[in-house]
Amino acid sequence: MIVEDDSALRELLRDALEKRKYTVIAAADGKEALAKFRPSIVDLVITDLLMPEEDGLMVIMKIREIKPSTKVIAISGGGMAGPGSYLMMASKLGADAVISKPFLPSELVMKVKELLE
Amino acid sequence: MSARKDKNQADNSQITPVNDPVADSRLGALAGGIAHDLNTVITTIYGYSEMALEGLADSPEAAENVRRIIGAADRARMLTRQLLDLSRQAAREKVPVRVAAVLDDTIDFIRPSVPEGIRILRRVTAHDAYVNAVPDQLFRVFLNLTMNAVQAMTPKGGTLTVTIGCREDETGIHQGDQCRELHIRFSDTGKGMDKALQQEVFKPFVSAGKEHGTGLGLSVVADAIRELRGTITVSSEPGVGSAFDIIIPGAFFGTLPEKH
């Protein structure tokens, strides 16, 4: 599952993952993601952190409650600087990996593969 | 702050901007926000460029043009790094923070994810107490403590009571602008901790939360309180609950411009 409010990036990540034969569910914000999240079919969630409605930190917390074994990759462009950065908070909330934007799709795909193996 | 301004004025007769930490922190937050959005755009540029390159093995000229796009994106990435550096620099500066407002923000932030059966009560007597803190520092402290309490009370339910008051006078009545010691208490009716865990809980890589599922390290909280020259202690009883007491010295009352 991809949770990203920027539509261009969301479609790019979808393309990159579908090309590698992953089935992708996409959501534009945390609220939509939680509505679409199905524990039986979602193995991994890639979530942006700064989003309208429910943000990525909430997505991580709630998914950790619903299905703790779900792998989570947090991505962020560093909107909140310093030691309290969103990526650091995502990591503390249990994200399995964090990736700073900008990144290459191949970097993300490699991380997805690593976490699902 | 004033010394620096005086020095500038002595060096030349031009009007120099006043060093305003609140304005600086807002400018820093703005820079961080712009950098965040730009980094998202650059990721998309990188992504489609990388995908395009995969299909251009037989078109060296077109592939070279795509590499130039990536080069331009690299330069944009360096600019966003500079913006983030600016943002981080501003984020390290201390500004007056109204403690009760930070608590309100924390509870508003976490409320959507608080399970039914858990109540959060605010008992604030020092509504206008400020401390000088790095923006978001207290928010992180309050968020960690609130989340830990919520986790400790899940799934059974319970009550988290947060009190903020001046230590000299718990009624909040004060003389002058000073609140020598601000007392903040997070008291929950959760699972509690045994003595051994209480002694270890502020150390790195030790978390009461792990017992409850997805815990947060309290060492982060302790570090932040130390930066405020304050103290944090815990008292707890298994099956009854835990209370975290924070004492921050040098608080003051006022109606200063806010940034938290």
Side-chain angles (χ1 to χ4, degrees):
Chain A
M1 171 176 268
I2 295 165
V3 194
E4 168 62 60
D5 60 333
D6 184 278
S7 58
L9 181 56
R10 189 169 66 245
E11 290 314 307
L12 163 72
L13 299 181
R14 182 204 284 273
D15 288 350
L17 289 165
E18 285 183 344
K19 214 171 159 186
R20 271 83 175 178
K21 310 293 179 203
Y22 291 107
T23 304
V24 176
I25 299 168
D29 56 52
K31 197 173 176 184
E32 187 183 340
L34 292 166
K36 286 183 172 178
F37 184 78
R38 296 285 174 272
S40 57
I41 56 171
V42 177
D43 300 310
L44 183 142
V45 174
I46 298 162
T47 183
D48 187 22
L49 296 179
L50 273 176
M51 291 182 294
E53 301 290 339
E54 300 267 24
D55 69 17
L57 296 176
M58 282 298 160
V59 170
I60 297 170
M61 276 196 285
K62 290 190 175 174
I63 283 174
R64 282 278 166 267
E65 280 173 26
I66 300 166
K67 185 186 171 190
S69 64
T70 312
K71 302 294 182 191
V72 176
I73 299 175
I75 56 176
S76 179
M80 181 175 152
S85 76
Y86 280 106
L87 283 176
M88 190 183 284
M89 289 180 80
S91 204
K92 287 183 180 302
L93 285 168
D96 299 282
V98 295
I99 300 179
S100 292
K101 295 177 185 173
F103 56 83
L104 289 168
S106 53
E107 189 185 341
L108 179 71
V109 169
M110 202 184 299
K111 191 57 76 180
V112 168
K113 199 176 161 198
E114 189 185 306
L115 288 174
L116 291 179
E117 269 174 3
Chain B
M1 182 168 73
S2 59
R4 182 170 154 188
K5 187 186 168 193
D6 292 341
K7 183 177 180 293
N8 286 341
Q9 286 174 335
D11 287 346
N12 60 59
S13 59
Q14 289 182 335
I15 297 170
T16 53
V18 175
N19 184 7
D20 180 348
V22 175
D24 284 352
S25 71
R26 285 182 178 153
L27 185 63
L30 178 66
I34 292 170
H36 171 269
D37 290 352
L38 279 176
N39 278 336
T40 299
V41 174
I42 297 167
T43 306
T44 308
I45 295 171
Y46 273 146
Y48 281 114
S49 301
E50 187 184 53
M51 283 169 133
L53 272 180
E54 288 170 11
L56 291 173
D58 298 330
S59 309
E61 196 178 331
E64 184 52 34
N65 287 340
V66 173
R67 284 191 196 94
R68 286 187 181 128
I69 294 172
I70 293 173
D74 284 341
R75 289 196 293 281
R77 181 184 196 167
M78 287 176 72
L79 290 173
T80 62
R81 276 187 191 161
Q82 286 174 23
L83 276 176
L84 281 174
D85 284 345
L86 177 70
S87 176
R88 289 190 182 108
Q89 193 179 345
R92 283 195 293 267
E93 289 181 15
K94 289 187 175 178
V95 297
V97 172
R98 192 165 73 86
V99 179
V102 179
L103 178 64
D104 290 344
D105 286 350
T106 309
I107 293 173
D108 288 348
F109 180 80
I110 201 169
R111 196 178 291 285
S113 65
V114 174
E116 280 182 30
I118 292 180
R119 289 194 310 157
I120 302 179
L121 300 180
R122 277 171 270 207
R123 288 192 182 149
V124 178
T125 52
H127 288 280
D128 296 321
Y130 286 77
V131 295
N132 278 319
V134 171
D136 299 318
Q137 191 175 32
L138 263 188
F139 178 78
R140 291 198 303 277
V141 167
F142 288 1
L143 185 64
N144 278 354
L145 290 172
T146 306
M147 287 174 66
N148 278 352
V150 168
Q151 285 159 4
M153 294 187 290
T154 304
K156 190 180 143 199
T159 303
L160 167 66
T161 306
V162 187
T163 58
I164 301 175
C166 246
R167 210 181 184 195
E168 299 104 317
D169 186 344
E170 292 290 344
T171 63
I173 299 166
H174 55 88
Q175 298 292 319
D177 294 337
Q178 299 301 311
C179 167
R180 221 175 338 178
E181 288 188 333
L182 191 69
H183 180 198
I184 306 162
R185 166 174 267 227
F186 283 70
S187 174
D188 69 61
T189 59
K191 293 168 187 168
M193 289 175 269
D194 60 27
K195 288 281 177 204
L197 185 54
Q198 287 175 51
Q199 285 171 1
E200 299 286 316
V201 78
F202 294 114
K203 292 181 181 172
F205 311 115
V206 175
S207 170
K210 281 179 184 163
E211 285 193 337
H212 313 304
T214 55
L216 292 172
L218 286 166
S219 66
V220 174
V221 170
D223 287 346
I225 297 299
R226 267 194 292 274
E227 279 178 38
L228 293 169
R229 296 181 295 117
T231 58
I232 180 165
T233 52
V234 61
S235 50
S236 183
E237 195 175 327
V240 177
S242 301
F244 290 88
D245 288 287
I246 298 169
I247 304 293
I248 302 176
F252 52 94
F253 290 96
T255 53
L256 293 166
E258 287 183 25
K259 174 62 195 166
H260 49 76

